[in-house]
Amino acid sequence: MQPHVTRALQDWHAAWTVHERAAQLAMSTAFPALESMAPPTGCCHPRMAWERDGEGSGTMCLDDHGRATIEFEDVPKAALGAAMKEIFGPDWFDEGEGGFAMAEPGNYSYSDESTYAEYEFDVHKDGTVGFTIGYVKIEDIVVILDALETALAETRAGGTPGAAT
């Protein structure tokens, strides 16, 4: 490879690394439980993971297209419902007038044709949700993570998530 092309590619790689780190920082600022995983991470790098007693666990990865995917398990439905209502309003998945927090057990999904993002939620009978939100722009996933963190913090403080909204 020509030296000037090699330098250009190295410059691009350095800028991409800064982009990845900034994305991780934004996501962990919005959702402080997310912690970086050391390679090898499984699917892609960078990858982050979290776990909190009574609040769930999960992973986040950033693909080489600059899109994030989160896979969370055992998240309290009330907190997730409050976060979704804050961001999307009630009835986003046609789950009923009470919004997602009142959704019956089952699978709810949505594909956003304009952004290519995919959302899938499995509501469990025990009041928890497992969900995957995939191929989402960083600015969108940060908003989702922040709303979820706020709802979980309200629960930790003994309140009802989303009661102020």
Side-chain angles (χ1 to χ4, degrees):
M1 191 178 307
Q2 299 176 62
H4 68 283
V5 175
T6 300
R7 278 192 306 277
L9 188 56
Q10 289 169 341
D11 289 348
W12 172 85
H13 188 267
W16 182 253
T17 300
V18 168
H19 169 80
E20 286 180 331
R21 289 182 182 147
Q24 285 181 284
L25 178 60
M27 288 183 276
S28 64
T29 299
F31 199 84
L34 282 171
E35 296 181 2
S36 293
M37 296 172 65
T41 60
C43 71
C44 54
H45 186 75
R47 187 168 163 99
M48 302 172 83
W50 74 283
E51 184 170 1
R52 285 188 194 142
D53 288 340
E55 293 184 1
S57 63
T59 59
M60 179 291 308
C61 70
L62 182 64
D63 68 22
D64 55 3
H65 298 284
R67 301 240 175 187
T69 295
I70 59 175
E71 296 177 333
F72 288 3
E73 289 294 330
D74 302 320
V75 175
K77 182 175 72 165
L80 182 61
M84 290 185 61
K85 184 177 179 184
E86 175 72 23
I87 298 166
F88 301 108
D91 273 347
W92 193 46
F93 288 100
D94 297 325
E95 67 282 350
E97 290 181 26
F100 195 80
M102 301 303 291
E104 294 294 322
N107 183 275
Y108 300 85
S109 61
Y110 174 74
S111 294
D112 186 333
E113 293 177 8
S114 66
T115 66
Y116 307 108
E118 298 174 356
Y119 302 81
E120 184 172 350
F121 300 87
D122 288 313
V123 177
H124 306 294
K125 291 178 183 178
D126 68 356
T128 65
V129 180
F131 63 96
T132 300
I133 301 175
Y135 316 111
V136 180
K137 297 183 299 180
I138 300 305
E139 53 267 39
D140 293 340
I141 205 68
V142 167
V143 169
I144 292 168
L145 290 169
D146 180 56
L148 180 57
E149 177 64 25
T150 299
L152 289 169
E154 289 171 356
T155 300
R156 283 192 297 274
T160 301
T165 59

